[in-house]
Amino acid sequence: MAPLEPWEKVFVNKDKYSSTVHGQFQCTYCHAGNQSPDMEIAHKDMNPDPSTAGKDNVCATCHQNEEEHFSESLHASLNGYWEKINTRSIPENHPALEEMFGNHCSTCHTSCGDCHISQPKNVGGGLVDGHIINKTPSMSQNCTACHGSRVGAEYLGKHEGIPGDAHFRLERMNCMSCHTGDDMHDSTGACKKCHNTPELEKLLTSNSRYAGAQIPSCESCHEDVGKPGDANPQHLMHGNKLACQVCHSIQYTSCDSCHVAISQKTGKPFYETQSTYFTFYIGLNPDPNYHRPYQYVVVRHVPVDSESYSYYGDTLLPNFDALPTWTYATPHNIQAKTPQNASCNACHGNEKLFLTADKVKSEEQQANQSVIVPQIPPAIP
Amino acid sequence: MRKHIKFLPLYIGMFLIAGCASQNAIATNNQTATPEPQIPVATTSVEKPVEVVDYCTDCHTNKEQLMTLAQPVLASESESKGVG
């Protein structure tokens, strides 16, 4: 993504913007500040992004429904991160971890404007299209501006020798083709069709993006897969034992040991990821459930280790082994034909494909017990 | 003709009475009619809109001015290493 010039970041396209509904308001209506020819006075008490989720979100003045649910979404709350950190930690360590979180993680949270008006702040910000408020975000300047190093690069085929996702290569589908606005604003909206009693609604409070139904699921479009009459016998044979990615994904990025700290030189937060490499491993599904009944899923190594936050204190993650470091993944590099689905024994009996104990670091063995494959499916004679 | 002149005061009297009667009838009708909704009547004199100076857009739509004023954020070299 090409960086925006400083002027470009704050340039309002008068011709385009003033003809829009939002262009009928004076700037100070949303941004506060002052009407003054003096730049300093004009910018005093000005809010560059008045669209952060919460009670002061100016978008909510008209878009109440979107704001109401969006403020609870993982994009706005980042509760997915907290869920993992809390599970590996203990309450006594929370103050130190909250400081860490504020310095290193919270810049990733998303406001309405980060998707619909500007590039996200953590990639330098700046107006995407002359302050036009785009109903549909830009894939490159909004979605993959944050989700770039893994999902974006894999989907667009940016890794040399590894093709991009078939949905992009063949159909030029963008993120919004699958991840609709309704899902982004209210990630539990579709769930409420079935979870329609107070008891069932309680199940919707999980902070994991992999909890509950797959929104979207592959079957949302590929409706006939696995159903009677499916022309592909492999789909019927494997049924719900395999997540779709087990057969249809290819090599993807894994990372090791991200450590965070504050620079003594500049006083600014920084991180260091020890290594990044390509993997394709089939592991056990750590949490088989109604919505994800699979026995096997694809797993990716996430860049956490027990000392990731040690700058902020000793042993801040005493329950490090409570969660796997090889985590259930849904790589965005789907192909119809893959090395592992070329034949039965391209997968069955192929040790290279499976996350067996010998591929897991000794200090992470315990954490990964729920995903390590104890015995691979034998070759078919 | 004379005959008509002779009755002229009578005609005038009848005319005046008839006029009054018709006005009463209208007044009675108005009392019983369902009130019509008030429709605003367009006036011919329209107030000129006050020209509002918007200093924000004056500046933020002026590319040349922004190129002069917008300073690059001097980001210190990031010490981060590896994939974020």
Side-chain angles (χ1 to χ4, degrees):
Chain A
M1 189 180 69
L4 294 172
E5 292 295 323
W7 67 268
E8 210 175 1
K9 289 184 176 181
V10 292
F11 176 69
V12 175
N13 186 322
K14 191 176 188 177
D15 295 336
K16 284 166 82 178
Y17 184 62
S18 60
S19 63
T20 67
V21 172
H22 297 96
Q24 307 310 305
F25 296 97
Q26 277 222 327
C27 308
T28 47
Y29 178 82
C30 293
H31 290 281
N34 306 286
Q35 280 293 341
S36 168
D38 183 300
M39 191 169 84
E40 276 192 27
I41 296 171
H43 287 173
K44 192 170 188 298
D45 300 325
M46 195 267 292
N47 182 358
D49 183 1
S51 70
T52 299
K55 64 181 173 58
D56 296 327
N57 182 358
V58 75
C59 305
T61 314
C62 296
H63 303 278
Q64 296 98 334
N65 286 343
E66 285 80 1
E67 208 287 329
E68 183 190 351
H69 298 293
F70 176 68
S71 57
E72 299 159 9
S73 76
L74 298 183
H75 269 113
S77 71
L78 297 181
N79 280 341
Y81 285 110
W82 264 122
E83 179 87 3
K84 304 290 184 198
I85 292 170
N86 284 345
T87 304
R88 290 187 168 114
S89 184
I90 50 175
E92 297 91 291
N93 293 345
H94 284 188
L97 288 168
E98 279 169 20
E99 188 191 351
M100 180 283 299
F101 196 85
N103 288 338
H104 302 278
C105 310
S106 60
T107 50
C108 282
H109 89 114
T110 312
S111 68
C112 305
D114 284 335
C115 292
H116 295 285
I117 306 173
S118 311
Q119 293 187 152
K121 286 176 273 297
N122 60 326
V123 292
L127 300 169
V128 166
D129 192 12
H131 206 296
I132 300 292
I133 297 173
N134 292 316
K135 185 173 182 184
T136 305
S138 152
M139 181 164 78
S140 61
Q141 287 186 284
N142 297 114
C143 310
T144 60
C146 289
H147 301 277
S149 30
R150 280 167 282 272
V151 171
E154 285 158 13
Y155 188 72
L156 300 170
K158 289 189 173 177
H159 297 303
E160 203 178 336
I162 303 177
D165 195 294
H167 298 90
F168 178 70
R169 283 190 295 105
L170 306 177
E171 301 292 335
R172 282 291 179 262
M173 288 168 69
N174 64 24
C175 306
M176 282 65 64
S177 303
C178 295
H179 301 278
T180 65
D182 284 345
D183 295 343
M184 291 293 105
H185 295 141
D186 181 8
S187 54
T188 60
C191 311
K192 288 171 187 164
K193 285 175 194 163
C194 297
H195 290 255
N196 50 12
T197 64
E199 290 241 321
L200 289 171
E201 274 191 26
K202 280 181 196 165
L203 297 172
L204 302 180
T205 55
S206 172
N207 286 326
S208 167
R209 66 185 163 133
Y210 287 131
Q214 302 181 57
I215 303 172
S217 69
C218 303
E219 293 89 341
S220 308
C221 290
H222 302 278
E223 293 171 346
D224 298 333
V225 168
K227 304 262 172 65
D230 186 340
N232 186 337
Q234 302 301 328
H235 289 156
L236 297 168
M237 208 178 294
H238 292 100
N240 275 338
K241 273 182 101 175
L242 310 180
C244 303
Q245 291 83 3
V246 169
C247 293
H248 293 287
S249 178
I250 50 174
Q251 286 207 316
Y252 45 81
T253 314
S254 279
C255 298
D256 280 356
S257 301
C258 180
H259 286 212
V260 294
I262 299 292
S263 165
Q264 289 188 331
K265 208 162 54 180
T266 64
K268 292 190 173 175
F270 71 96
Y271 62 83
E272 187 170 345
T273 306
Q274 200 179 64
S275 57
T276 299
Y277 47 95
F278 293 109
T279 55
F280 177 88
Y281 284 138
I282 300 166
L284 293 181
N285 181 0
D287 179 26
N289 56 51
Y290 175 80
H291 294 292
R292 297 166 199 262
Y294 320 116
Q295 183 181 355
Y296 293 104
V297 296
V298 166
V299 289
R300 185 198 298 270
H301 195 275
V302 290
V304 67
D305 69 32
S306 59
E307 300 298 316
S308 280
Y309 314 130
S310 58
Y311 176 86
Y312 291 89
D314 294 330
T315 329
L316 289 181
L317 303 177
N319 298 325
F320 185 76
D321 290 342
L323 291 171
T325 54
W326 286 94
T327 65
Y328 175 18
T330 48
H332 282 51
N333 56 11
I334 297 302
Q335 317 291 329
K337 292 183 178 176
T338 60
Q340 69 273 19
N341 73 17
S343 67
C344 299
N345 286 338
C347 184
H348 287 258
N350 186 351
E351 270 188 26
K352 284 183 193 165
L353 295 182
F354 291 86
L355 186 78
T356 45
D358 58 304
K359 299 183 184 85
V360 178
K361 291 177 188 170
S362 57
E363 65 271 26
E364 295 180 8
Q365 288 282 334
Q366 188 58 38
N368 290 293
Q369 283 303 304
S370 60
V371 291
I372 289 174
V373 178
Q375 196 168 7
I376 69 167
I380 295 170
Chain B
M1 185 65 190
R2 258 189 200 173
K3 191 176 160 187
H4 286 293
I5 291 171
K6 188 176 162 184
F7 290 110
L8 185 63
L10 183 64
Y11 293 153
I12 292 170
M14 285 170 71
F15 175 75
L16 289 174
I17 291 165
C20 291
S22 115
Q23 284 208 349
N24 283 342
I26 291 165
T28 310
N29 284 343
N30 278 350
Q31 282 166 5
T32 54
T34 310
E36 289 286 321
Q38 296 277 324
I39 298 166
V41 179
T43 54
T44 49
S45 62
V46 177
E47 271 187 46
K48 273 191 168 179
V50 181
E51 190 81 12
V52 180
V53 180
D54 190 335
Y55 294 107
C56 311
T57 49
D58 277 358
C59 180
H60 281 268
T61 57
N62 187 335
K63 184 175 163 182
E64 280 71 34
Q65 191 170 333
L66 287 176
M67 288 173 106
T68 312
L69 291 174
Q71 299 297 316
V73 180
L74 293 171
S76 51
E77 200 176 318
S78 174
E79 292 176 54
S80 294
K81 289 177 187 166
V83 173

